[in-house]
């Protein structure tokens, strides 16, 4: 059975990588982050021209209507090149939330085409996040209102909120405190309907953060490999020292062990599996561990200079630290994983449970396995 990505998916990933290699080089990102907004309208326009903003927008609203799995490799590239948050929050999380509205809904008809063409930014304020990313730059805000019956979905314009920009040691993050008042005029979905939308949005946000952490880990590894090949001590490249090689080999192990967990979670979210929360929390924890471990070992081989502004490593290391707490920190996802495993009489652990359709989605046959990921693209 083939669980690898298709040639089309790999080609798509490679084309995005080549684009970002030129348009999101570290020296260009530094210039962008030192501006007042920390964002580049030119880069945003180029991203939209590549079609990336319309990946999750339904075809009826001018998008491509692609699946969750199609984001698996793309989100790793977003992390590898440390792109701003707006791409993920707008094109994937917010697009999914607006697509959940009924056909013909005024917000769906108005904003999904704008997202697809890249003419707007949407900020998402999920209950699990203390602050809202890019709220000060957003054209639209999707905000939660927690009630005893569930979480309502409210939609506001920036002028309807009090937005306070906050500082972050990660220059790529633009976090804000948003104060607003819930009303009938801003409510789009009630607590029952809204809860379902917010639950799925939280899973998508956590999964994107996990995938970006994996991409960041790979970038820090690549930077470290380049550095130890050039840095010399005792007239030898430090990469020839066994202790340094062990540091880098351990990063590779963490990354490779996290990949299948991440890809399995993307499959679970696309198919709405019953153990979705367990899969995504597992992926977030594994990828967070890979990100933290890569940052620690990369800093070890770079020395203290790796934390300075002039060295590229610090850009990706700081981003990994902040994403670790985004869309649920380690304590949150550890609690979800523990609860999900203990309350399930057939917990999804072990090789035999990886694609056990009877346990996870109630199919008749226990031996029925998933379609290869490569088939998802063709479907």
């Amino acid at each position: 059975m083939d669980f690898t990505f298709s040639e089309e998916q790999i080609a798509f990933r490679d084309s995005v990588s080549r684009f970002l290699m030129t348009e999101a080089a570290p020296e260009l990102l530094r210039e962008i982050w030192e501006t007042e907004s920390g964002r580049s309208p030119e880069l945003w326009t180029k991203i939209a021209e590549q079609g990336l903003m319309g990946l999750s927008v339904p075809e009826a609203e001018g998008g491509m209507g692609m699946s969750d799995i199609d984001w698996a490799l793309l989100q790793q590239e977003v992390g590898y090149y440390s792109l701003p948050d707006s791409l993920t929050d707008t094109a994937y999380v917010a697009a999914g939330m607006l697509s959940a509205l009924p056909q013909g809904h005024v917000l769906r008809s108005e904003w999904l085409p704008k997202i697809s063409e890249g003419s707007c930014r949407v900020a998402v304020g999920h209950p699990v996040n203390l602050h809202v990313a890019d709220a000060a730059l957003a054209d639209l805000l999707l905000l939660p209102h927690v009630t005893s019956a569930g979480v309502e979905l409210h939609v506001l314009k920036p002028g309807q909120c009090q937005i306070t920009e906050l500082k972050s040691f990660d220059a790529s993050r633009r976090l804000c405190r948003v104060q607003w008042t819930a009303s009938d005029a801003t409510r789009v979905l009630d607590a029952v309907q809204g809860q379902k939308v917010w639950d799925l949005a939280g899973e998508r946000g956590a999964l994107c953060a996990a995938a970006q952490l994996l991409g960041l880990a790979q970038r820090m590894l690549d930077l470290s490999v380049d550095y130890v090949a050039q840095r010399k001590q005792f007239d030898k490249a430090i990469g020839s020292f066994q202790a340094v090689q062990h540091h880098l080999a351990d990063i590779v192990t963490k990354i490779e062990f996290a990949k299948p967990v991440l890809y399995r979670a993307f499959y679970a979210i696309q198919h709405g599996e019953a153990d979705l929360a367990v899969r995504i929390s597992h992926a977030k924890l594994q990828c967070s561990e890979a990100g933290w471990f890569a940052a620690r070992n990369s800093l070890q081989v770079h020395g203290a200079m790796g934390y300075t502004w002039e060295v590229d490593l610090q850009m990706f290391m700081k981003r990994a630290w902040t994403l670790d707490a985004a869309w649920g920190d380690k304590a949150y996802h550890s609690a979800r994983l523990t609860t999900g495993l203990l309350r399930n009489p057939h917990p999804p652990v072990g090789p035999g449970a990886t694609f056990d359709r009877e346990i996870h989605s109630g199919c008749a046959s226990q031996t029925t396995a998933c379609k290869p990921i490569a088939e998802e693209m063709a479907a």
Side-chain angles (χ1 to χ4, degrees):
M1 188 173 292
D2 182 10
F3 295 116
T4 59
F5 290 95
S6 68
E7 293 182 2
E8 291 84 358
Q9 289 169 318
I10 298 297
F12 174 62
R13 189 271 314 274
D14 291 344
S15 67
V16 171
S17 181
R18 288 192 296 270
F19 165 73
L20 296 178
M21 187 183 303
T22 302
E23 302 297 338
E27 57 272 15
L28 298 178
L29 292 181
R30 281 190 178 87
E31 294 178 3
I32 294 172
W33 294 344
E34 288 179 331
T35 63
E36 183 178 355
S37 66
R39 299 291 182 259
S40 168
E42 293 79 13
L43 177 58
W44 184 264
T45 300
K46 291 178 180 179
I47 290 174
E49 290 173 349
Q50 296 294 313
L52 302 183
M53 299 304 302
L55 291 182
S56 288
V57 175
E59 294 182 14
E61 280 78 23
M64 301 175 65
M66 297 178 73
S67 66
D68 293 284
I69 286 179
D70 296 313
W71 283 89
L73 297 178
L74 173 59
Q75 284 299 319
Q76 290 180 71
E77 296 304 309
V78 170
Y80 190 87
Y81 291 97
S82 197
L83 280 185
D85 298 339
S86 295
L87 170 63
T88 296
D89 289 356
T90 299
Y92 185 46
V93 180
M97 296 176 71
L98 293 173
S99 297
L101 299 177
Q103 288 282 354
H105 194 286
V106 60
L107 289 173
R108 176 180 177 138
S109 302
E110 178 183 0
W111 290 97
L112 283 177
K114 291 182 178 181
I115 290 175
S116 182
E117 65 188 19
S119 61
C120 72
R121 294 176 187 265
V122 183
V124 180
H126 196 275
V128 78
N129 289 325
L130 182 61
H131 304 301
V132 183
D134 286 320
L137 305 172
D139 302 289
L140 191 73
L141 293 95
L142 307 182
L143 300 174
H145 178 58
V146 181
T147 70
S148 58
V151 184
E152 299 175 346
L153 171 61
H154 290 252
V155 175
L156 294 89
K157 297 289 185 65
Q160 298 174 281
C161 312
Q162 181 181 343
I163 300 175
T164 305
E165 296 187 52
L166 305 172
K167 297 291 185 181
S168 173
F169 64 83
D170 174 15
S172 70
R173 298 277 282 177
R174 291 295 187 270
L175 299 176
C176 301
R177 182 187 302 113
V178 179
Q179 296 173 293
W180 60 288
T181 301
S183 68
D184 292 339
T186 61
R187 185 186 301 110
V188 176
L189 295 177
D190 61 23
V192 176
Q193 295 174 315
Q195 184 69 61
K196 298 176 182 178
V197 173
W198 282 116
D199 286 346
L200 187 56
E203 305 296 9
R204 283 181 169 143
L207 197 52
C208 286
Q212 290 180 43
L213 281 161
L214 201 59
L216 287 162
Q218 185 64 54
R219 185 61 177 269
M220 288 185 281
L221 173 63
D222 292 346
L223 290 172
S224 298
V225 170
D226 291 341
Y227 177 78
V228 301
Q230 300 173 23
R231 179 75 166 89
K232 291 185 177 182
Q233 286 184 356
F234 311 112
D235 295 327
K236 290 184 178 181
I238 63 174
S240 65
F241 301 152
Q242 192 175 55
V244 173
Q245 294 173 1
H246 285 174
H247 277 306
L248 301 183
D250 289 342
I251 299 176
V252 175
T253 302
K254 291 287 185 181
I255 292 173
E256 293 305 316
F257 270 80
K259 281 182 179 179
V261 178
L262 176 69
Y263 300 154
R264 184 61 181 85
F266 268 105
Y267 181 90
I269 196 171
Q270 178 166 315
H271 293 273
E273 296 186 353
D275 61 348
L276 176 61
V278 171
R279 297 290 185 186
I280 290 183
S281 287
H282 187 195
K284 182 64 158 56
L285 290 169
Q286 286 291 104
C287 295
S288 292
E289 174 62 21
W292 269 95
F293 191 85
R296 182 169 63 249
N297 282 22
S298 296
L299 186 59
Q300 181 73 24
V301 300
H302 274 78
M305 66 175 293
Y307 192 78
T308 61
W309 178 256
E310 292 76 14
V311 178
D312 291 345
L313 176 66
Q314 57 86 21
M315 302 171 63
F316 308 97
M317 182 169 59
K318 293 174 182 176
R319 184 68 182 273
W321 292 341
T322 57
L323 282 182
D324 177 73
W327 298 98
D329 58 13
K330 284 187 174 70
Y332 172 82
H333 286 289
S334 293
R336 287 212 319 171
L337 182 60
T338 301
T339 301
L341 292 176
L342 292 180
R343 73 182 180 188
N344 190 339
H346 302 287
V349 294
T354 301
F355 285 105
D356 191 326
R357 310 307 303 147
E358 181 180 21
I359 292 175
H360 303 310
S361 63
C363 291
S365 174
Q366 185 173 355
T367 59
T368 301
C370 78
K371 293 186 297 181
I373 289 179
E375 295 180 12
E376 298 297 335
M377 191 69 174

